[in-house]
Amino acid sequence: MTDPSALMAAVPMPLVLIGGDARVVMANPLAEELFGSAAVGRHYITALRQPALLDCIETALKQVKTAQARFPLRGALRETIFLANAAPLAGGGVLLSLDDVGHVHEAGQMRRDFVANVSHELRTPLTALLGFIETLRGPARDDAAARERFLGIMATEAGRMSRLIRDLLSLSRVESEERMRPQGRSDVAALVTSATMTLGPVAAEAGVTLHVSGAQDALIVPGDADQLLQIFANLIENAVKYGRTDVFIDIARVERDPVLRAPAVRIEVRDNGIGIDPLHVPRLTERFYRVDSHRSREMGGTGLGLAIVKHIINRHRGRLRIESTPGQGSRFIVVLPRGPVADDSQG
Ligand SMILES: Nc1ncnc2c1ncn2[C@@H]1O[C@H](COP(=O)(O)OP(=O)(O)O)[C@@H](O)[C@H]1O
Ligand SMILES: [Mg+2]
C-alpha cells in the first residue's frame, strides 16, 4: 500500500490532514507552499490562521460533518480565492482540501464589469435624450429654433446608442464564432480598397488623405469577407480619427511570416497622428478601453472597435501588432495566413 504522504503529494491541490487531537498530521507540498512547512505537528488554529477556514475545520471535527468555506489568500504571485472542503475521516480527524476558484471569480468579475460598462455607455445618451424630450414638451415647445437644435442633438445621441448596439452585437457574434473556422475565400486587396472608398468622405471631412499601396493584384486568404472588411474599416477609421494629415495603407504578400510560420498577407495602417503611450498599447484591444474616453466619445467611438478587430484576427489565426510613438503616429499591422492553418494551431 502506498504511504499516505505519497498519495497526498500526488493530488494536484493543497491538502492538510488534521488528527483527532486537532493537530496537523500531514500537509502535501502544495499546502506547505500556502501555510509554510512548519505547520505539521501544530494545532490547526496556529498553523492555518484563516478565520473562515478554522470555522469549517471546527465544524468538521466537532459535528463530524463535511463543511465548506470560501476565503481569499494572498500568494507569492497573486491573490486568489480558495474553496475549502473539510471532510471528517472515519477514524477521527479531518482532511482539508483547497480548490483554487480564483478564475471563476475573475470571470464573474469581468462579466459584472462588462455589464456595468455597457449600462453606463447606454445611460449617458439616454439621459440626454430624456432631458431633451422633457425640454421640448415644456419650455421649448413654441421655440422653433431651439426645437431644431435639440432635435439635432437628439439624433446624435440616438446615433451613438445605435452604434453601441451595433458594435455589441458584432462583438458578441465574433466572440461566439471565434472557435469556428471561417468559411470562404476573400480578396484582401479588394476589401481594403472597398474600406478605403467607404471611408473616403469621412477622411476628406477630417482633412486626412488616404494612400493605398499594394492593392493592384488580388491577394486571396481563407476568410469571411464581412469580418475582414470590419478589421480594415475599424483600423482605417481609427487612423483617420486619431491621425493628422495622412494615412498610409500598405498591403504586401509575405512568403513566410516568422511568427505564424506560414505564407501570409500583411496589411499595415499607418498614421502621423497623436500616437499612443506604450503604457496603453497592450490594453487597447480590451472592450471599452480608450486612452482618452472623452475624445473617443466626441468622435463617435464606442471603444469596442479594436476588441472586435482582435477577435476577428484570432478567428482567422492571424496576428495584430501595434507600434506607436507618442506625438508622431501609430502603425497597426495585421498578418493573415494565406493558406489554411494546420489544426494543431487551433484553439
Ligand atoms: N490610430 C490610433 N492612434 C492613436 N490612438 C488610437 C488609434 N487607434 C486606436 N487608438 C486608441 O485606442 C482606443 C480604442 O480604439 P477602439 O477600440 O477602436 O475604440 P474607439 O475608436 O471607439 O475609441 C481609442 O479610444 C484610442 O484611444
Ligand atoms: Mg475605433
Side-chain angles (χ1 to χ4, degrees):
M1 179 66 193
T2 316
D3 111 67
S5 76
L7 214 59
M8 279 174 60
V11 178
M13 66 199 299
L15 293 178
V16 180
L17 179 64
I18 297 158
D21 61 355
R23 289 185 184 276
V24 175
V25 178
M26 213 177 269
N28 73 352
L30 289 172
E32 281 188 354
E33 252 173 55
L34 288 180
F35 301 113
S37 51
V40 174
R42 284 159 64 191
H43 194 285
Y44 76 85
I45 292 182
T46 55
L48 306 179
R49 283 202 289 233
Q50 292 289 329
L53 196 55
L54 302 182
D55 284 349
C56 94
I57 297 171
E58 189 180 340
T59 307
L61 270 177
K62 296 212 170 126
Q63 301 173 28
V64 199
K65 63 177 197 198
T66 300
Q68 290 194 325
R70 206 175 277 270
F71 67 98
L73 198 64
R74 190 181 290 282
L77 295 175
R78 62 194 182 103
E79 180 171 306
T80 188
I81 298 188
F82 279 108
L83 178 62
N85 189 79
L89 299 172
V94 162
L95 181 67
L96 176 73
S97 55
L98 300 171
D99 194 3
D100 186 341
V101 292
H103 55 282
V104 179
H105 279 257
E106 253 161 50
Q109 188 59 44
M110 270 174 70
R111 190 181 48 78
R112 285 189 290 276
D113 287 351
F114 181 65
V115 171
N117 272 326
V118 171
S119 312
H120 175 76
E121 296 290 335
L122 280 172
R123 196 175 53 192
T124 312
L126 186 59
T127 305
L129 280 174
L130 291 171
F132 284 116
I133 290 171
E134 197 71 2
T135 314
L136 285 174
R137 280 183 162 162
R141 196 203 308 260
D142 303 314
D143 182 342
R147 198 164 57 218
E148 256 332 283
R149 198 162 58 80
F150 292 163
L151 282 172
I153 303 173
M154 289 169 75
T156 307
E157 297 297 333
R160 186 192 301 281
M161 292 179 79
S162 149
R163 272 194 306 279
L164 184 62
I165 303 287
R166 180 203 62 195
D167 282 359
L168 283 170
L169 288 174
S170 184
L171 183 63
S172 128
R173 218 190 92 208
V174 297
E175 276 184 340
S176 66
E177 288 177 350
E178 191 167 327
R179 297 195 166 270
M180 297 198 289
R181 211 120 46 118
Q183 300 293 315
R185 301 179 67 70
S186 309
D187 175 2
V188 170
L191 291 173
V192 168
T193 306
S194 154
T196 310
M197 299 228 286
T198 310
L199 287 164
V202 182
E205 198 174 324
V208 174
T209 313
L210 303 178
H211 310 263
V212 183
S213 71
Q216 313 79 301
D217 302 319
L219 273 169
I220 308 292
V221 299
D224 177 321
D226 282 345
Q227 289 197 342
L228 295 178
L229 185 64
Q230 276 191 66
I231 300 181
F232 309 133
N234 270 304
L235 294 183
I236 299 171
E237 192 193 359
N238 280 350
V240 167
K241 283 197 302 191
Y242 304 107
R244 207 163 43 88
T245 53
D246 296 273
V247 169
F248 297 89
I249 305 136
D250 300 332
I251 313 170
R253 254 172 96 91
V254 178
E255 275 328 308
R256 188 172 189 274
D257 180 73
V259 178
L260 300 181
R261 287 179 290 153
V265 176
R266 181 184 190 277
I267 306 99
E268 173 175 324
V269 180
R270 186 169 78 249
D271 66 65
N272 56 355
I274 54 173
I276 307 158
D277 192 298
L279 201 74
H280 297 289
V281 168
R283 300 197 56 188
L284 292 182
T285 57
E286 287 175 22
R287 301 181 286 197
F288 294 117
Y289 192 89
R290 296 135 151 158
V291 176
D292 178 345
S293 304
H294 184 75
R295 178 173 174 148
S296 159
R297 284 201 194 91
E298 204 144 79
M299 318 251 328
T302 60
L304 294 174
L306 289 179
I308 294 172
V309 164
K310 179 77 196 180
H311 281 288
I312 297 176
I313 293 175
N314 284 349
R315 182 178 181 218
H316 288 79
R317 312 277 174 240
R319 62 188 182 99
L320 172 69
R321 206 167 82 218
I322 305 172
E323 293 171 2
S324 187
T325 312
Q328 287 186 26
S330 315
R331 51 177 90 211
F332 286 72
I333 300 153
V334 180
V335 183
L336 297 168
R338 251 188 292 141
V341 177
D343 269 328
D344 66 325
S345 63
Q346 282 214 323

